[in-house]
Amino acid sequence: MRVFKFGGASVKDAEGVKNVVKVLKEVGHDNTMLVISAMGKTTNAMEEVVDAYFDNKSEIVHKIDAVVEYHNSILKELFPNPQHQVYKEVKTLIEEVKGFLAWNKSPKYNFVYDQVVGYGELLSTAIVSAYLEEVGIRNQWLDVRGFIKTDSSYRDTTVLWEKTQEHISKIDRSVLNITQGFLGSDENNFTTTLGREGSDYTAAILAYCLNADSVTIWKDVPGVLNADPRYFKETQLLNNISYREAIELAF
């Protein structure tokens, strides 16, 4: 069993999604679980929706429209047929966000945050799953909230390991599975989040509970570089580094 995680930068556009397919075709996808983050900067955009809800409700529609426009631009490149089922799936997810914001009565920022922000992951996995099917890679879309169970400390949640293990052990491993990073749910099935950049943690949780052989974090760079390419122009690829050096870099 292998767990592959693709971050937001890796699926920020149509080419990124196509690259996921390329990776799977090159390395295979038997006994594999995919964990996909929200596309690009969608988490930031969803945070702006939450902030608008509390600070300036007149901006909510504009903020949600920006999220819709971004995802639609990717959809149009991947699925030229506007009648494709994935368009309806994306629309349904957006309507769920609008519906929650309309009926919610909780004044608690952290609760509202967790119910809204996680839709970035739901949108990205719906799109990637549909595209994999489109190119002939059969897969099963899983809602990770039904598997990773947590307490109700929104935005600062703790994984309930026994319940999580129980649910994850029931996953069908005979097909390529695709699910979301960052998310879980509490005993009332409200969405919880595992902290920003929590998709790597999600991959580790799933790997542990599935007794996987490996976790691979796929990035949008050719490998480990000697500096952060976002800040330095002439970075160099390190073809190999020691385990100790890897620890130092992570630190």
Side-chain angles (χ1 to χ4, degrees):
M1 189 72 192
R2 303 175 302 176
V3 178
F4 288 173
K5 181 259 179 174
F6 290 88
S10 298
V11 291
K12 65 183 178 183
D13 51 27
E15 286 305 310
V17 176
K18 292 176 182 178
N19 193 56
V20 172
V21 172
K22 180 182 177 183
V23 168
L24 294 177
K25 287 184 175 179
E26 285 187 7
V27 303
H29 46 79
D30 292 335
N31 300 315
T32 302
M33 165 76 75
L34 296 184
V35 176
I36 310 285
S37 298
M39 293 174 154
K41 300 294 184 181
T42 299
T43 300
N44 292 346
M46 297 304 290
E47 287 178 341
E48 290 183 15
V49 172
V50 176
D51 290 340
Y53 176 77
F54 283 98
D55 301 329
N56 187 359
K57 284 187 167 55
S58 64
E59 281 289 301
I60 292 177
V61 173
H62 170 68
K63 297 296 185 182
I64 292 177
D65 284 349
V67 173
V68 172
E69 185 177 338
Y70 170 61
H71 286 85
N72 279 345
S73 69
I74 296 173
L75 284 172
K76 288 174 183 176
E77 284 194 58
L78 297 175
F79 307 95
N81 178 9
Q83 302 304 315
H84 194 285
Q85 178 64 25
V86 70
Y87 285 90
K88 295 179 182 177
E89 293 174 10
V90 167
K91 183 178 180 181
T92 297
L93 290 170
I94 293 297
E95 290 303 317
E96 286 180 13
V97 175
K98 293 178 179 178
F100 169 78
L101 294 175
W103 63 254
N104 173 64
K105 296 293 188 284
S106 174
K108 297 180 179 179
Y109 182 93
N110 288 349
F111 172 76
V112 174
Y113 180 100
D114 277 8
Q115 308 320 302
V116 172
V117 171
Y119 273 90
E121 276 71 16
L122 295 170
L123 288 165
S124 67
T125 52
I127 293 171
V128 174
S129 175
Y131 187 69
L132 291 177
E133 290 283 353
E134 188 78 357
V135 299
I137 300 179
R138 191 171 71 89
N139 67 92
Q140 176 173 251
W141 183 92
L142 300 176
D143 187 335
V144 77
R145 296 174 296 180
F147 297 94
I148 296 181
K149 305 302 290 185
T150 73
D151 63 13
S152 298
S153 302
Y154 301 106
R155 297 191 73 194
D156 187 28
T157 193
T158 298
V159 174
L160 303 178
W161 287 98
E162 287 188 14
K163 290 183 178 179
T164 297
Q165 176 73 73
E166 179 184 346
H167 287 294
I168 291 176
S169 65
K170 297 175 183 176
I171 291 175
D172 178 7
R173 306 184 187 201
S174 66
V175 64
L176 172 67
N177 288 290
I178 176 170
T179 196
Q180 308 78 35
F182 186 45
L183 307 179
S185 69
D186 63 14
E187 63 179 358
N188 295 313
N189 292 322
F190 284 115
T191 304
T192 55
T193 60
L194 303 176
R196 286 298 303 261
E197 311 302 331
S199 294
D200 288 2
Y201 184 32
T202 303
I205 293 168
L206 289 165
Y208 175 77
C209 292
L210 289 167
N211 196 28
D213 295 322
S214 63
V215 177
T216 304
I217 311 296
W218 294 91
K219 308 295 285 186
D220 61 329
V221 290
V224 178
L225 306 176
N226 68 337
D228 189 333
R230 292 174 296 183
Y231 302 108
F232 298 92
K233 292 182 179 180
E234 297 182 7
T235 56
Q236 296 179 8
L237 179 66
L238 303 177
N239 292 311
N240 53 71
I241 60 173
S242 70
Y243 188 70
R244 184 180 182 86
E245 287 173 317
I247 292 174
E248 289 295 328
L249 283 170
F251 179 78

